[in-house]
Amino acid sequence: NRAFAGLTSVQPGATLEEIVFRCRMRTFDGDAMDVADMPESRALSGETVSSMLVRMRPPGRDHDVILAVNGQPARDAAGKVVAAVLLSRPISEEVAMAIEVRRLAEDRSESTNGVR
């Protein structure tokens, strides 16, 4: 959509490969992101994406844009994934760090539940 294109310089019709290359897509930690790891790819493979943090450096920008992305696969009547719906919102570094700390705490809590 226009808002996403304005934020990222990604125009409608761009392939995921183009987006990864042109916008230098990375994880929040800074690791290079493969096309298969992108929220779009994950949703298209049937996964629900929740508060995934990604960094990108759109062409012509001198700083990263950090996005919090939520996504869902869209299925046809037979249950086959035919599209994906994603919601991306830009967030600040501080908000991204707070989200990551909360996620790590939840992961740690889940891994220690039931273990004494």
Side-chain angles (χ1 to χ4, degrees), residues 66-77:
I66 301 172
L67 300 174
V69 183
N70 293 303
Q72 287 276 96
R75 300 177 187 275
D76 65 12

Side-chain angles (χ1 to χ4, degrees), residues 67-99:
L67 300 174
V69 183
N70 293 303
Q72 287 276 96
R75 300 177 187 275
D76 65 12
K80 179 181 174 189
V81 176
V82 294
V85 178
L86 287 102
L87 174 64
S88 302
R89 62 184 174 94
I91 59 174
S92 69
E93 184 85 25
E94 293 80 16
V95 170
M97 291 185 80
I99 291 169

Side-chain angles (χ1 to χ4, degrees), residues 16 26-28 33-54 69-75 81 83-86 103:
L16 296 180
R26 298 182 316 274
T27 65
F28 177 67
M33 186 174 282
D34 292 330
V35 170
D37 297 326
M38 291 178 65
E40 295 87 340
S41 295
R42 292 172 62 178
L44 286 168
S45 71
E47 184 180 340
T48 296
V49 178
S50 180
S51 298
M52 183 177 178
L53 300 176
V54 297
V69 183
N70 293 303
Q72 287 276 96
R75 300 177 187 275
V81 176
V85 178
L86 287 102
R103 184 189 65 77

Side-chain angles (χ1 to χ4, degrees), residues 12-33:
T15 66
L16 296 180
E17 290 82 4
E18 289 174 293
I19 296 169
V20 165
F21 176 74
R22 289 186 61 232
C23 296
R24 296 187 284 181
M25 298 290 296
R26 298 182 316 274
T27 65
F28 177 67
D29 295 333
D31 297 328
M33 186 174 282

Side-chain angles (χ1 to χ4, degrees), residues 58-71:
R61 301 256 178 141
D62 61 353
H63 64 281
D64 286 349
V65 173
I66 301 172
L67 300 174
V69 183
N70 293 303

